[in-house]
Structure formats: structure tokens, C-alpha cells
Amino acid sequence: MDNNVKSPRRYVPLDYSFRFKRNKSTGLPFFLDNLGDDLLLVLLAFVPFSSDPISVALAIFFFHISFWTVYEIGYFENDAVSASLEHEAKVTPGFDRAATYFSERQAWLWAVAFAAPGALLVAWVTKPEAAGLFVLLYLLTWIALLGCLRAVYYAYNRIDKLSRVWVYLPLQILKYGFPLLFFYLPAAGAALIFAQCLRRWVPYIVYRYGRSGLVGLPSKVLRILSFLSIWLLLLPSNLSESYLIHGGIILGWLCLRGFKQTRKVVREMQHVQHDKWSSSGGMDS
């Protein structure tokens, strides 16, 4: 990061992610990776066989930007918590400068503004006869999802490093599966999204547990979350009594088999302030 670059005087959406959070020396620039990989993958999962591909794609684009505006709050908060609470504080270079102008309140306002045209497009596609009424309903529904995202990331930032492994997966599912709130997801699209979630999650597991050769990894908990994730992703395209009952039976058996490991994982969770996990490197969420 060039220290000669002047900090903006006011908050700009995604500026923290672009200028500070992403290490450009080890990967693609933020926007190139975010739009060329994350957004493109979501579009490929949802758009090709939709009833109105152009409108659906545009709606997903606006929701994607809205989503990341709130997701970025978690990025910033992660550094803030690390600086103030963690045993081994490690923050993004430039955090101190960004802290002078980053605003969660403004981030939320921008997120709602970005989501508004997305909600309008969803209403246009799904309820054209009463679009005005449904725009507000869809916008409120979207804000509720952003609230869920914020809560998950809040918890992620405040638990110990090993326990974050289990919160990391829901973050990825929200990141790539958010259009499920409004649009049908074909089975092939669900497989693509879950493959992407695993692509993010497995390296993160190795990063956190790898020092012991994964010996301490609770594999049965991993199995429960893997099944639950793909089952939920496929639910909208397989909404039937048999699918729900079958999935419930399987999930019950998996939880029974993994009860001891799950209980151990929950009991070992602790506040990040008391975390003893240490590393020589970092990994973005």
C-alpha cells in the first residue's frame, strides 16, 4: 500500500476493501476479483434459465453491491476488534487512517440506496401488477437479510480463531446465496455455489487447523454443516414434503452422530479477547 496516497475526507462505499483490505501483491485487485469472480459466479448460478435474464442480472448486481457495502463493515470491524481486544493484534495497513472517516451509519444508508433499484427490478419481474407495494416489501426483506449478515459477522469477529471456522461457512453461504431470497436456484446453480463455498471454506479450515495437521478438526461437525448447506441451497428448487422429511431424518442422524464433537466445539468457543491462537500470516474472510 502506498503511504503517500491521501485518505478521502469522507466515507465512500467499498473504499476500505479496495484501498486497504485486499493485499494486491498476493491476489487480484478487489474490484476485479469481486466482480469478475464473486459476482460472475452468482450470475452464472441464477441467471441463465430465469424468466427475464436481463432484469434478474441487474437486480442481482444491485443487491451484490448493497451486500458488500454491509459486508465491508465486518472487514473494518475485524480490524477494530483485533486492535483493541485480540491477544495477537494484527490489523490491515492503513486501518488507522481509514478509522478517521469510515462510517457504519453511512454504509447502511448506501446499502439501502443500492438495494432500492434491485427491489424495484424484483417487483417488476415477479409482481408487475402490484410492483409499487412489493418494492417496499422486498426492500424490507432485503434489509432483514443484511441484518442477519451483520449479526453473523459481528459474532465472527468476537469469537476465538478456531471457533471462527464454524461461522465462516454461513458467511460464505450468505455471500453467494443471497439471491435465493427472491429468485429460483436450479440444482446446477446450487452445486456451483456450494463448490464456491467449499473453495473458500476448506483453505480457511487448513489455515486455522493446519498447524496440527488437521488432527484436531471435528470432522463430524464439518459433515453436518456441509450437508445442511447443500440441503438448504437445494430446498427452494425441491420444496416438497418428502424432501423436508428425508432431509430432517438425515440431519437428525448426523447431529446424533456428531453430538459429542458439536458440544465440544460449542464449549470451547470463547471471546476473541482471550484467544491464544497465533499465526504468521493472515487470511481475509
Side-chain angles (χ1 to χ4, degrees):
M1 182 68 200
D2 186 0
N3 293 326
N4 294 322
V5 177
K6 294 181 179 180
S7 299
R9 295 183 178 180
R10 59 182 182 178
Y11 168 82
V12 176
L14 303 183
D15 176 76
Y16 187 69
S17 300
F18 174 67
R19 301 179 71 234
F20 301 112
K21 194 64 178 179
R22 184 62 56 89
N23 187 346
K24 297 177 183 178
S25 66
T26 60
L28 294 173
F30 173 76
F31 284 113
L32 183 59
D33 187 41
N34 184 273
L35 300 179
D37 191 81
D38 288 348
L39 176 59
L40 182 58
L41 183 142
V42 174
L43 292 175
L44 285 173
F46 283 91
V47 171
F49 295 100
S50 59
S51 58
D52 189 343
I54 295 177
S55 296
V56 172
L58 286 173
I60 290 175
F61 170 79
F62 284 115
F63 284 131
H64 177 83
I65 301 301
S66 173
F67 182 95
W68 270 91
T69 302
V70 172
Y71 199 88
E72 184 182 51
I73 297 173
Y75 271 169
F76 180 82
E77 182 183 58
N78 184 270
D79 286 325
V81 169
S82 178
S84 60
L85 297 177
E86 289 187 13
H87 175 70
E88 184 191 46
K90 185 174 183 180
V91 300
T92 300
F95 167 75
D96 291 337
R97 282 183 291 149
T100 64
Y101 66 84
F102 189 90
S103 169
E104 180 171 351
R105 177 177 175 273
Q106 290 187 49
W108 274 100
L109 292 174
W110 276 104
V112 173
F114 284 131
L120 178 61
L121 286 163
V122 173
W124 177 265
V125 172
T126 60
K127 303 289 184 181
E129 69 283 356
L133 174 63
F134 279 90
V135 168
L136 179 59
L137 177 62
Y138 291 150
L139 187 57
L140 291 175
T141 304
W142 177 252
I143 292 172
L145 182 138
L146 293 182
C148 178
L149 166 66
R150 185 71 187 92
V152 173
Y153 218 142
Y154 183 91
Y156 173 90
N157 284 331
R158 284 164 176 79
I159 58 176
D160 63 278
K161 299 297 197 306
L162 287 182
S163 297
R164 286 180 182 181
V165 164
W166 313 113
V167 184
Y168 191 85
L169 180 59
L171 275 178
Q172 303 313 303
I173 293 173
L174 285 168
K175 184 190 296 184
Y176 300 108
F178 66 82
L180 269 170
L181 202 61
F182 305 114
F183 301 117
Y184 170 80
L185 177 63
L192 174 61
I193 287 176
F194 189 64
Q196 177 70 358
C197 291
L198 285 181
R199 178 212 167 195
R200 299 289 190 186
W201 192 33
V202 171
Y204 189 73
I205 292 172
V206 174
Y207 168 61
R208 293 299 187 196
Y209 277 91
R211 206 172 281 117
S212 59
L214 302 186
V215 172
L217 177 66
S219 59
K220 292 177 181 176
V221 178
L222 182 68
R223 182 171 62 178
I224 291 171
L225 291 179
S226 298
F227 170 77
L228 186 59
S229 301
I230 189 64
W231 185 68
L232 290 174
L233 286 171
L234 289 172
L235 179 60
S237 58
N238 295 274
L239 192 57
S240 65
E241 185 177 346
S242 61
Y243 186 80
L244 292 172
I245 293 175
H246 189 195
I249 292 172
I250 294 172
L251 183 60
W253 179 81
L254 291 176
C255 289
L256 183 64
R257 291 283 294 141
F259 176 75
K260 289 184 178 180
Q261 285 190 359
T262 303
R263 183 175 60 180
K264 184 174 184 291
V265 165
V266 172
R267 285 181 172 178
E268 290 179 350
M269 285 186 179
Q270 58 184 340
H271 195 275
V272 67
Q273 190 173 7
H274 307 293
D275 192 12
K276 302 301 181 182
W277 191 94
S278 62
S279 69
S280 58
M283 185 171 182
D284 289 341
S285 56

